[in-house]
Amino acid sequence: MKLFQITVIAAAATLASPWSLAQGQPPLKVGLMLPATGTFAALGTAIENGFKLYVDQQGGKLGGRSIEYVKVDDESDPSKATDNINKLIKRDNVDVVVGTVHSGVAMAMAKVAKDTGTLMIDPNAGADAITGPMCAVNIFRSSFSNWQPGYAMGEVMAKKGHKKVITITWKYAAGAESVNGFTEAFKKGGGTVLKDLTVPFPSVEFQALLTEIAAAKPDAVYTFFAGGGAVKFVKDYAAAGLKGNIPLYGAGFLTDGTLEAQGATADGLQTALHYGDGLNTPRDNAFRLAYAKAYKLQPDVYAVQGYDAAQILGIGLAATKGDVSKQKEFAAAVGKSKIDSPRGAFMLSKAHNPIQDMYLREVKDKENKIVGIAAKSLSDPARGCKM
Ligand code: PHB
């Protein structure tokens, strides 16, 4: 009799559980794991702004559930990444983790997300492995793979007739993979890489390497730097007398969200990226207006990626009526949807990475003016992804 009573009570509790009802579900907890300090701090802010803008535009709800945020500053420090994401998942009980900027941190996050089955949306970090060997039904990326802008720029630089190039970047996954993508396309186009130069992340001590570049006199330089490091690199390149003598190209992060600080030293730089200024589409214009109104700032690529991370979450939650545990249904809905991004609509590959145009941009009057398409509908090869 006692046992029967307990069973009945348990069943009643299940029926009454707000989780079983489309209406009245508890808020969905979004763990924002982003950098709030260090060289990528501004990037983290733009991602958060973009994400919240989309949620606000939906009346604060996705898939019928109101959204609650739990935030952690990941400091772009891979050694703290596993602890940080575990706190979000185990202590704060988040339903989804959105993060991050730094590839090394994001790889640690993806490992935990995969092991625990937690939904993860990567709104920036390009680590190839996340949509390569680590790909999973519950892991999505709204940004790019490091291979993509690198490969696009390699094609462009080979077509421009550059033959001998030096690369320079931070010594960590994103830098190495960006250079790998570049090198793959540049060699295919007949070019040679004379030397790959690196500084440790997040060092901005470029002087010795700029002296080496000046002495080697390559046809051009390819680089990956971002955030505060990109500001310093572009200024140092000009101060070393290299600007105007040895053309500098890069993945578009070199000049995105950085132009106010770089000023005229960035003028004329050409980069490849999946966003830029002057798209002048109704979608992008509306996004820019809304972003400027909400934050008194112009959006950049990071803001777009944050906005699209929220769109991906919204699509998945709409299909599962707010239930993140229905991973297959969530992934199927996202997989067949066109994400209506300010960058231009895109779909995700089977590995959950955007298939997207890489624009060729040139800096003029503190804008990354789109001057062409560097690579059309470029899909990351997703090497090693079994899904
Ligand atoms: C990365 O670590 O993957 C990364 C960081 C900053 C960027 C782009 C990629 O702007």
Side-chain angles (χ1 to χ4, degrees), residues 161-179:
H162 296 308
K163 293 289 177 214
K164 293 185 176 164
V165 161
I166 287 183
T167 72
I168 178 165
T169 186
W170 277 311
K171 195 177 176 65
Y172 84 115
E177 292 171 357
S178 183
V179 165

Side-chain angles (χ1 to χ4, degrees), residues 180-209:
N180 281 347
F182 162 78
T183 303
E184 186 181 329
F186 189 59
K187 279 192 176 163
K188 247 191 228 165
T192 307
V193 175
L194 296 177
K195 204 157 196 189
D196 292 320
L197 301 175
T198 57
V199 290
F201 179 87
S203 167
V204 290
E205 294 305 319
F206 304 124
Q207 208 48 54
L209 299 182

